[in-house]
Amino acid sequence: TQLLEQSPQFLSIQEGENLTVYCNSSSVFSSLQWYRQEPGEGPVLLVTVVTGGEVKKLKRLTFQFGDARKDSSLHITAAQPGDTGLYLCAGERNRDDKIIFGKGTRLHILP
Amino acid sequence: GAVVSQHPSRVICKSGTSVKIECRSLDFQATTMFWYRQFPKQSLMLMATSNEGSKATYEQGVEKDKFLINHASLTLSTLTVTSAHPEDSSFYICSAAWGGPGNTGELFFGEGSRLTVL
């Protein structure tokens, strides 16, 4: 059973379009992180959300944590080719718990 | 953000040899480090949790005698793939958790090490 379900698994869109990636669970998480990984490199932390309903913005990226802290979304406005990569959500259900990763969303932005 | 360095970034070895990969936290002390394996176009698979000064905790299905983990100091963990075989070829990534004040579970990853076993 996958504790963190990410959707879609793959997404290929044109430059300039908007998109949303989802990370869902039936469990409550104390915190959720989003990472981006480019081929041949380690993941890089984008953001951490800890409060239900929290919204964080990172330039054209908007991250939201669900009110019940069971889900999160990443919205990208006016996608750029540089946004291409594997987006991973990860979270811990309780402090000091093992961090669980979703399977990732592979995003490809076409110029 | 915190910096984690992994070395080597790429290694090619002959079948039967052992390979050591190092993971260092450069600007913080990491009492816990994690080792992952990543297959092409897939997410990270946690192999083991490395605790400074104690034995690593391995995930189910990961052979502890095959993948030796040592966490000798607060800034260094090593993964040794013993008697490597072609099926061990993969991308290995380490991460470290920053446990300081306000810690909210973020992980900082190394650059990854691509192992190719001939």
Side-chain angles (χ1 to χ4, degrees):
Chain A
T1 304
Q2 185 68 25
L3 285 171
L4 277 175
E5 296 280 354
Q6 278 190 252
S7 62
Q9 289 186 42
F10 303 96
L11 184 58
S12 182
I13 62 171
Q14 291 292 139
E15 180 178 1
E17 293 184 9
N18 301 332
L19 67 109
T20 303
V21 173
Y22 300 93
C23 178
N24 296 314
S25 178
S26 57
S27 299
V28 176
F29 284 80
S30 62
S31 68
L32 269 177
Q33 295 87 41
W34 284 91
Y35 298 85
R36 182 172 74 204
Q37 184 183 23
E38 298 189 24
E41 299 182 13
V44 174
L45 177 67
L46 295 175
V47 78
T48 298
V49 286
V50 296
T51 305
E54 183 177 5
V55 176
K56 284 191 174 180
K57 291 196 173 185
L58 187 65
K59 296 183 180 178
R60 293 177 293 100
L61 278 60
T62 302
F63 304 86
Q64 188 162 8
F65 201 11
D67 291 341
R69 290 186 288 128
K70 292 182 178 181
D71 52 82
S72 181
S73 64
L74 158 60
H75 182 79
I76 301 179
T77 304
Q80 304 292 313
D83 297 328
T84 293
L86 176 67
Y87 288 81
L88 296 161
C89 70
E92 56 179 359
R93 287 177 292 182
N94 300 294
R95 282 295 300 275
D96 300 327
D97 256 4
K98 185 166 55 178
I99 292 175
I100 300 163
F101 278 85
K103 289 190 174 183
T105 293
R106 190 162 297 278
L107 176 63
H108 185 54
I109 308 301
L110 303 167
Chain B
V3 178
V4 175
S5 178
Q6 217 174 309
H7 178 80
S9 58
R10 292 178 182 272
V11 57
I12 300 173
C13 70
K14 291 183 178 181
S15 186
T17 61
S18 295
V19 174
K20 180 186 284 188
I21 301 170
E22 292 186 349
C23 179
R24 294 181 184 272
S25 56
L26 298 185
D27 54 358
F28 69 103
Q29 293 184 329
T31 53
T32 305
M33 290 185 173
F34 305 89
W35 286 95
Y36 304 84
R37 186 171 179 176
Q38 187 176 35
F39 293 101
K41 299 185 178 181
Q42 293 189 25
S43 186
L44 307 172
M45 183 189 79
L46 179 65
M47 297 174 66
T49 301
S50 167
N51 299 295
E52 187 265 338
S54 64
K55 290 183 179 180
T57 303
Y58 289 81
E59 295 302 298
Q60 192 173 8
V62 178
E63 299 175 61
K64 60 181 180 181
D65 296 328
K66 173 79 171 171
F67 300 99
L68 299 178
I69 291 172
N70 184 276
H71 195 152
S73 76
L74 287 171
T75 59
L76 174 64
S77 177
T78 60
L79 166 67
T80 301
V81 183
T82 62
S83 187
H85 291 282
E87 57 265 30
D88 299 324
S89 298
S90 192
F91 193 54
Y92 293 89
I93 307 175
C94 71
S95 71
W98 179 67
N103 161 46
T104 49
E106 296 99 330
L107 294 173
F108 298 94
F109 287 85
E111 306 94 328
S113 300
R114 183 161 300 284
L115 170 64
T116 302
V117 184
L118 302 175

